[in-house]
């Protein structure tokens, strides 16, 4: 809501973009969204449309259909330009978000993690990442990773993870 103007902004990705499944704040006026079609979007509060998009950020779900794997978990390291995303492709992925001159999302690294990464959180000092991993998607039983175990994965983050503090 824009209280002074008594109005609000609705962020839309377009007709072909499904609603966001997960959101992570990068800084006060920038955020990233993950979608069920594997799209990772960078948004600014100044625009109604995404500034930058990564298609199939976690690969495709099937060889016969070119749909991206659903991004189920998303978080950011507070006060930095690093975002972590999770799906069922076998990896927890780290991304660098650039919000200044060249606005984009770049892949940094990936950590092997078997199963659906249903939720992710990072401690305030960015020492430890905790991920909820399961056999199935958190929102339903559309797909299943049979050999995965329902568990909590704890990953120690080593510094520097190639991030810089944002203004």
């Amino acid at each position: 809501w824009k209280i002074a103007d008594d109005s609000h902004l609705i962020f839309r990705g377009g007709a072909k973009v499904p609603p966001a499944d997960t959101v992570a704040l990068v800084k006060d006026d920038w955020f990233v969204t993950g979608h069920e079609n594997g799209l990772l979007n960078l948004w600014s509060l100044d625009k109604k449309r995404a500034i930058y998009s990564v298609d199939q950020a976690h690969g495709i779900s099937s060889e016969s259909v070119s749909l991206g794997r659903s991004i189920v978990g998303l978080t950011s390291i507070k006060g930095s330009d690093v975002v972590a995303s999770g799906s069922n492709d076998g990896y927890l992925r780290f991304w660098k978000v650039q919000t200044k001159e060249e606005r984009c999302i770049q892949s940094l690294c990936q950590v092997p993690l078997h199963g659906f990464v249903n939720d992710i959180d990072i401690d305030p000092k960015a020492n430890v990442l905790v991920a909820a991993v399961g056999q199935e998607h958190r929102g339903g039983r559309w797909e299943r990773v049979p050999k995965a175990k329902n568990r909590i994965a704890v990953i120690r983050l080593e510094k520097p993870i190639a991030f810089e503090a944002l203004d």
Side-chain angles (χ1 to χ4, degrees), residues 97-112:
V97 177
Q98 293 184 2
T99 59
K100 294 190 179 174
E101 298 86 29
E102 183 184 333
R103 297 172 175 166
C104 64
I105 302 172
Q106 299 173 331
S107 178
L108 280 178
C109 62
Q110 55 193 24
V111 175

Side-chain angles (χ1 to χ4, degrees), residues 25-107:
L25 182 68
V26 177
K27 53 193 267 191
D28 289 340
D29 50 350
W30 291 90
F31 60 98
V32 177
T33 57
H35 302 262
E36 69 182 16
N37 64 351
L39 196 62
L40 193 64
N41 281 336
L42 173 64
W43 300 81
S44 168
L45 290 182
D46 299 332
K47 304 279 184 188
K48 290 183 178 184
R49 303 242 182 232
I51 303 292
Y52 189 84
S53 297
V54 177
D55 289 327
Q56 300 171 349
H58 282 265
I60 57 174
S61 61
S62 168
E63 295 301 323
S64 62
V65 181
S66 62
L67 289 175
R69 285 190 169 95
S70 176
I71 297 176
V72 186
L74 189 65
T75 192
S76 64
I77 297 177
K78 307 298 184 250
S80 79
D81 59 352
V82 174
V83 174
S85 66
S87 185
N88 68 329
D89 66 335
Y91 294 99
L92 176 73
R93 297 181 188 268
F94 289 90
W95 307 87
K96 180 178 178 139
V97 177
Q98 293 184 2
T99 59
K100 294 190 179 174
E101 298 86 29
E102 183 184 333
R103 297 172 175 166
C104 64
I105 302 172
Q106 299 173 331
S107 178

